[in-house]
């Protein structure tokens, strides 16, 4: 995906010459402009009483009147759409605690040569987002809903055009689809499990170090959805790595470790499992199990043990996944899914995360991709993000391998005040 402002800021004569090149040979023009020219056909028949030039319709010999000012406005709307796709995540409502920091997204109408007076004007640029010729007001509302709502998407740094277009199409489609009743019930069920588990531990074992998941309970339905969807696409095993916070909840409500086993560890009655950790503290322990998804698919799950140096588990997880894929699944990396769960401060602050990412596409380390799930608890290592990193996001490291990033808001339940997940689309293959 490219930023076309260097073209659209040029003289209309240049746009006309670009169009003439398109008429002679569509392959000589950037594919985005091919869609642009084909979609509009320069069919602006309402000249509004202004002087018009004549432009041939794409693929034909018919000429239609074109007004330079109208053309400039159309291009401005097109630039607006591209800008939302590229920078909408900067203004998305993803922080439930406070207003987003101003990241200079510059998505106001004036930045594109438009104004409030144009809101009721219909533009052909709406065809590029599937809403047809419609008013600027409706185009902006659509863009706000898709790209500046409760989910922000970063993907425009992906160089592979087919992948970027697929991501764009899937995201714009899925964000308009309501969750089914069954999906809502499943989310509520898993969320309730996570919340009640934390409340019980806080009541029964108050004062004991347990690294609770309070404020991040939506992790449980999110992980559940990731594993269930992955199983439908042929994943037979998932290797999970995470730090301490939320570990007991994930063990109980994702891997199915029994409450008896977990409570025995609190009481000091458990026998250490030397194959999955020394048992030095309960929040370092690993666990393995087999679960059956709601779709009837069996999935082997394994949570790796890890020490207090939080992100050191990352290369262990991907190394373990690579070994199992090569030995058990005949190097079919689509059969095993590594999932790495991070805290926001740790993923930005520990260099081992970058090391794992930059090696991930090398032949000797490739595992077919992994999902990184980052829990933002607003204060990492007792430090506000303004004092913890230089990048806009803790996930900025993802851009080095051109991995898309979903920024998802936690919403607040009006009746109970508990945390519930916002709509988080994970298209197949991501």
């Amino acid at each position: 995906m490219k930023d076309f402002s260097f073209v659209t800021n040029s003289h209309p004569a240049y746009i006309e010459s670009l169009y003439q090149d398109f008429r002679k040979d569509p392959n000589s023009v950037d594919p985005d402009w091919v869609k642009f020219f084909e979609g509009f056909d320069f069919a602006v028949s309402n000249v509004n009483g202004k002087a018009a030039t004549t432009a041939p319709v794409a693929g034909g010999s018919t000429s239609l009147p074109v007004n330079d000012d109208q053309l400039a406005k159309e291009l401005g709307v097109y630039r607006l759409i591209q800008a939302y796709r590229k920078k909408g995540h900067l203004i998305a409502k993803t922080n439930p605690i406070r207003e987003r920091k101003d990241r200079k997204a510059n998505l106001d109408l004036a930045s594109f040569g438009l104004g409030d007076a144009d809101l009721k004007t219909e533009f052909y640029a709406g065809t590029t987002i599937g809403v047809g010729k419609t008013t600027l007001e409706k185009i902006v509302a659509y863009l706000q809903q898709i790209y500046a709502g409760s989910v922000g998407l970063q993907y425009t740094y992906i160089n592979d055009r087919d992948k970027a277009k697929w991501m764009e199409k899937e995201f714009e489609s899925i964000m308009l689809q309501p969750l089914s009743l069954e999906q809502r019930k499943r989310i509520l069920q898993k969320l309730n499990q996570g919340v009640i588990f934390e409340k019980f531990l806080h009541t029964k074992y108050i004062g004991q170090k347990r690294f609770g998941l309070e404020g991040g309970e939506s992790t449980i339905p999110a992980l559940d959805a990731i594993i269930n969807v992955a199983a439908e696409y042929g994943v037979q095993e998932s290797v999970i790595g995470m730090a301490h916070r939320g570990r007991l909840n994930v063990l109980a409500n994702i891997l199915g470790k029994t409450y008896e086993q977990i409570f025995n560890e609190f009481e000091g009655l458990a026998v250490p499992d030397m194959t999955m950790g020394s048992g030095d503290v309960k929040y370092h322990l690993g666990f393995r199990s087999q679960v059956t998804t709601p779709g009837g698919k069996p999935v082997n799950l394994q949570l790796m043990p890890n020490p207090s140096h939080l992100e050191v588990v990352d290369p262990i997880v991907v190394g373990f996944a690579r070994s199992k894929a090569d030995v058990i699944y005949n190097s079919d990396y689509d059969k095993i899914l590594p999932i790495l769960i991070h805290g926001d401060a740790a993923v930005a602050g520990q260099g081992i995360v970058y090391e794992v990412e930059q090696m991930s596409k090398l032949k000797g380390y490739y595992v077919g991709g992994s999902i990184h799930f980052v829990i933002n608890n607003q204060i990492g290592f007792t430090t506000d993000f303004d004092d913890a990193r230089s990048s806009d996001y803790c996930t900025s490291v993802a851009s080095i391998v051109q991995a898309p990033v979903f920024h998802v808001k936690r919403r607040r339940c009006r009746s109970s005040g508990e945390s519930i997940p916002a709509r988080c689309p994970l298209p197949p293959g991501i």
Side-chain angles (χ1 to χ4, degrees):
M1 304 296 293
K2 302 179 178 66
D3 183 355
F4 290 104
S5 59
F6 70 96
V7 174
T8 54
N9 286 335
S10 301
H11 193 276
Y14 178 77
I15 307 298
E16 175 66 20
S17 68
L18 193 65
Y19 177 69
Q20 295 301 329
D21 291 340
F22 161 74
R23 289 191 64 231
K24 294 176 182 176
D25 180 12
N27 293 326
S28 67
V29 180
D30 187 284
D32 272 338
W33 281 110
V34 172
K35 287 188 62 178
F36 180 80
F37 291 136
E38 288 178 345
F40 298 149
D41 287 335
F42 284 99
V44 185
S45 56
N46 183 9
V47 193
N48 295 325
K50 297 183 180 180
T53 59
T54 298
V57 178
S61 59
T62 306
S63 295
L64 290 174
V66 178
N67 178 269
D68 285 346
D69 182 62
Q70 181 70 17
L71 177 58
K73 296 281 188 180
E74 288 281 2
L75 292 171
V77 177
Y78 179 74
R79 289 171 53 211
L80 175 67
I81 292 170
Q82 294 297 89
Y84 261 93
R85 286 169 170 168
K86 182 177 181 179
K87 299 189 292 184
H89 59 87
L90 294 174
I91 63 170
K93 301 172 182 65
T94 55
N95 193 327
I97 306 300
R98 55 185 172 182
E99 288 296 317
R100 292 286 306 275
K101 184 177 180 179
D102 184 8
R103 301 288 185 186
K104 309 301 180 184
N106 298 321
L107 292 175
D108 57 293
L109 295 179
S111 297
F112 305 93
L114 303 166
D116 292 342
D118 299 308
L119 289 173
K120 299 300 182 181
T121 303
E122 293 187 339
F123 292 94
Y124 287 90
T127 59
T128 63
I129 52 174
V131 297
K133 180 185 177 184
T134 189
T135 63
L136 176 59
E137 186 176 40
K138 291 182 179 180
I139 292 173
V140 171
Y142 177 91
L143 294 171
Q144 287 275 346
Q145 180 182 357
I146 300 298
Y147 288 102
S150 58
V151 181
L153 172 64
Q154 282 182 281
Y155 75 106
T156 54
Y157 45 68
I158 298 176
N159 290 336
D160 188 314
R161 177 178 173 78
D162 291 338
K163 289 182 179 179
K165 280 296 182 184
W166 179 88
M167 176 64 65
E168 175 186 296
K169 178 182 177 182
E170 290 294 316
F171 186 75
E172 292 181 1
S173 171
I174 202 170
M175 287 301 293
L176 295 175
Q177 298 175 9
L179 294 172
S180 69
L181 180 60
E182 289 304 314
Q183 287 174 316
R184 291 175 182 270
K185 286 182 177 179
R186 180 72 181 185
I187 290 173
L188 181 59
Q189 176 191 2
K190 301 306 293 185
L191 181 64
N192 187 57
Q193 290 175 356
V195 171
I196 297 302
F197 181 80
E198 292 296 337
K199 286 186 174 180
F200 179 85
L201 291 184
H202 182 68
T203 302
K204 178 69 174 177
Y205 300 103
I206 190 169
Q208 287 204 39
K209 188 180 291 186
R210 58 186 175 83
F211 292 98
L213 192 59
E214 288 95 338
E217 294 93 343
S218 55
T219 301
I220 301 303
L223 286 177
D224 178 68
I226 290 170
I227 291 168
N228 293 343
V229 172
E232 294 299 319
Y233 284 86
V235 170
Q236 298 181 14
E237 185 163 352
S238 182
V239 186
I240 304 172
M242 66 182 300
H244 311 326
R245 185 165 300 282
R247 190 178 192 87
L248 299 180
N249 210 315
V250 170
L251 284 168
N253 296 311
I254 296 298
L255 283 90
K257 189 173 186 178
T258 67
Y259 294 147
E260 180 182 7
Q261 290 173 294
I262 294 173
F263 298 152
N264 278 342
E265 291 165 5
F266 272 98
E267 303 290 350
L269 303 176
V271 177
D273 181 353
M274 299 303 293
T275 65
M276 290 298 292
S278 63
D280 53 347
V281 286
K282 52 187 165 290
Y283 39 83
H284 286 179
L285 296 175
F287 189 74
R288 64 166 60 95
S289 65
Q290 179 168 305
V291 301
T292 301
T293 70
K297 305 287 186 179
V299 183
N300 292 313
L301 301 178
Q302 184 155 342
L303 180 66
M304 302 298 291
N306 67 297
S308 292
H309 190 66
L310 307 179
E311 299 293 344
V312 77
V313 74
D314 298 351
I316 296 173
V317 167
V318 293
F320 198 86
R322 171 62 183 253
S323 299
K324 295 200 77 171
D326 287 344
V327 174
I328 299 176
Y329 301 109
N330 195 29
S331 298
D332 184 353
Y333 303 114
D334 291 338
K335 298 295 185 183
I336 188 165
L337 173 66
I339 300 176
L340 295 171
I341 306 172
H342 311 274
D344 58 301
V347 77
Q350 294 192 241
I352 195 168
V353 177
Y354 171 81
E355 294 172 21
V356 171
E357 287 299 292
Q358 69 88 15
M359 296 173 71
S360 64
K361 292 190 175 183
L362 301 181
K363 184 177 180 181
Y365 300 90
Y366 182 73
V367 292
S370 58
I371 288 181
H372 294 252
F373 189 97
V374 182
I375 303 172
N376 186 348
N377 64 359
Q378 304 287 330
I379 300 178
F381 304 148
T382 72
T383 304
D384 188 82
F385 73 87
D386 280 330
D387 300 315
R389 65 175 187 265
S390 301
S391 59
D392 285 348
Y393 299 110
C394 61
T395 53
S396 293
V397 68
S399 63
I400 67 173
V401 291
Q402 299 178 36
V405 177
F406 296 88
H407 304 274
V408 185
K409 177 184 179 180
R410 278 195 332 273
R411 293 173 180 161
R412 304 300 296 178
C413 177
R414 293 180 180 177
S415 59
S416 66
E418 300 299 346
S419 181
I420 63 175
R423 180 161 179 70
C424 177
L426 283 173
I430 297 302

